[in-house]
Amino acid sequence: MENTEIRIRTAGPGDAEELLQIYAPYVERTAVTFEYEVPGVLEFAARIRHTLERYPYLAAELDGRLVGYAYAGPFHERAAYDWAVETSIYVEKNRRGEGIGRQLYDALEKALLAQHILNLNACIAYPEKEDEYLTRDSVRFHDRLGYRTVGEFHQCGYKFGRWYNMVWMEKHIGEHTAAPLPVVPFAAIDSEERLG
């Protein structure tokens, strides 16, 4: 059941410290991210700032505290890929299963659609066999949201003395026409369209 008290808003560099508290356990205790070291606050703030130059970076707030975030980035830098993005999401570990992720991704999709993005791609760490560091929960979550698996790379990520696979999942959110509308930066979108 979704938590109706959740407020989705645009994150900013000033949220870096609080968002890092959500992200750090994934770095330190899971293979969900292949990052080895928790970035510093300044580095994380710079990542948020860089993302917001073109794409949405959204935070879920509950009772004045951030409990999750989602953002998009370029799928690839070349111009022909402009209509495709890579999505990422992290929810506070003890709040998973409360509908926060769905609310974040719903808002992210609306914002990306307003930018004229058509393809969402998720790069997901995937275990051949689930273990204490990595389950298949992220793939199951994306599957429920309408993503489909389109590729798998085997033993491409090494963390905690183990090799992990990586899968690509995709979702189309718009019509692919012969003359697609140009992609507009997130900051240029009307504030009502940004979060639906």
Side-chain angles (χ1 to χ4, degrees):
M1 187 169 155
E2 291 192 4
N3 191 327
T4 55
E5 301 172 31
I6 295 293
R7 182 172 83 95
I8 307 297
R9 65 169 176 81
T10 301
D15 295 312
E17 188 169 358
E18 202 170 350
L19 294 180
L20 261 178
Q21 292 174 13
I22 296 167
Y23 182 58
Y26 287 98
V27 176
E28 296 168 335
R29 298 193 286 277
T30 80
V32 168
T33 172
F34 285 167
E35 193 158 17
Y36 279 16
E37 302 291 332
V38 177
V41 174
L42 291 178
E43 162 66 19
F44 208 72
R47 292 181 188 185
I48 295 168
R49 192 176 298 107
H50 178 71
T51 296
L52 287 170
E53 289 172 5
R54 185 165 173 114
Y55 299 107
Y57 203 120
L58 307 180
E61 193 175 86
L62 175 63
D63 298 328
R65 201 169 68 73
L66 300 183
V67 293
Y69 64 97
Y71 61 94
F75 174 64
H76 200 289
E77 296 294 340
R78 295 198 174 137
Y81 290 105
D82 276 359
W83 293 268
V85 296
E86 182 179 344
T87 59
S88 295
I89 185 167
Y90 291 92
V91 173
E92 197 173 72
K93 287 184 74 62
N94 64 342
R95 303 222 67 122
R96 289 170 33 190
E98 296 181 13
I100 296 167
R102 178 176 284 279
Q103 288 182 52
L104 277 165
Y105 256 17
D106 284 350
L108 188 67
E109 280 188 29
K110 286 175 187 166
L112 292 168
L113 197 54
Q115 287 186 260
H116 308 143
I117 299 292
L118 303 175
N119 292 24
L120 309 183
N121 302 282
C123 175
I124 302 170
Y126 189 76
E128 288 188 15
K129 182 179 175 184
E130 292 183 307
D131 62 28
E132 68 270 31
Y133 301 114
L134 187 63
T135 67
R136 296 176 179 161
D137 286 352
S138 188
V139 167
R140 289 188 277 265
F141 168 75
H142 284 82
D143 188 58
R144 285 193 300 273
L145 295 183
Y147 285 71
R148 65 185 183 95
T149 303
V150 292
E152 183 172 358
F153 295 87
H154 298 91
Q155 298 181 323
C156 60
Y158 182 77
K159 193 170 180 181
F160 303 123
R162 301 174 189 190
W163 288 101
Y164 292 101
N165 297 355
M166 183 270 287
V167 297
W168 276 107
M169 298 184 78
E170 75 173 2
K171 180 178 182 179
H172 291 176
I173 59 170
E175 185 180 349
H176 292 74
T177 65
L181 292 171
V183 174
V184 296
F186 177 64
I189 296 171
D190 178 90
S191 59
E192 285 185 24
E193 283 186 296
R194 282 188 186 189
L195 301 176

